[in-house]
Amino acid sequence: MSHALTPNPRGTPRPEPSPSSGFRREHPSDSSNPLVSAYDWGAAPEGLATRRQLRALGLRPAGQEPIVLRCRPCGYWPGRVCTRPTYLYRIDRAKPVRPMTFAQERALDRAMEARTRCPKCRRRYHHCLPLRTVGSCLECYDGTPADPSSYVHESRHDLAA
């Protein structure tokens, strides 16, 4: 089996992976189209943003097709194809985020309540409880006293609703 030797950043030759090894050679960058080229981290063209960056700006992609940005071939695995490409969206085509409806807000509050309310003592904490591993708050589990500022003080009327 003959391997073509390709240099890596450290200068030592590394055998090129065979097609049967599961790795494929990265496609060469198309220098005529800047939107499909490979870029360094944080060096994407202006006017493009990820979903999180759009959300921070109060925007949403609004149904536009993402622009797939491939990362540069890394020095450690130069023959590996990028398995986690970055999806970028044009900021000028993005629309404002839709406001949350009351039903969505109520559903979100119920989901968070299930993660923050102890099933034994029924206290609602300001943080998520280890319900998968412990099954309750630490005070109910092993007697560790809970700081009164870490949970919500509710009246009996609030618990009945």
Side-chain angles (χ1 to χ4, degrees), residues 37-82:
S37 298
Y39 293 96
D40 282 329
W41 180 263
E46 291 295 320
L48 298 177
T50 63
R51 277 186 180 269
R52 286 188 180 190
Q53 290 168 338
L54 285 178
R55 188 59 126 177
L57 296 172
L59 301 172
R60 61 185 168 95
Q64 62 175 301
E65 289 294 317
I67 297 166
V68 180
L69 182 70
R70 295 177 289 120
C71 60
R72 278 187 8 186
C74 68
Y76 192 71
W77 296 103
R80 179 179 276 180
V81 172
C82 183

Side-chain angles (χ1 to χ4, degrees), residues 2-43:
S2 66
H3 289 290
L5 296 180
T6 57
N8 67 13
R10 294 188 181 104
T12 57
R14 177 179 290 147
E16 187 172 338
S18 65
S20 63
S21 67
F23 297 116
R24 292 179 291 155
R25 175 57 73 193
E26 182 76 30
H27 301 292
S29 298
D30 182 11
S31 59
S32 64
N33 186 356
L35 298 180
V36 294
S37 298
Y39 293 96
D40 282 329
W41 180 263

Side-chain angles (χ1 to χ4, degrees), residues 117-138:
R117 186 174 296 279
C118 176
K120 293 182 180 176
C121 66
R122 304 300 299 159
R123 281 189 193 147
R124 186 167 183 182
Y125 287 82
H126 294 293
H127 59 275
C128 293
L129 298 175
L131 297 176
R132 283 189 182 172
T133 56
V134 176
S136 64
C137 66
L138 292 179

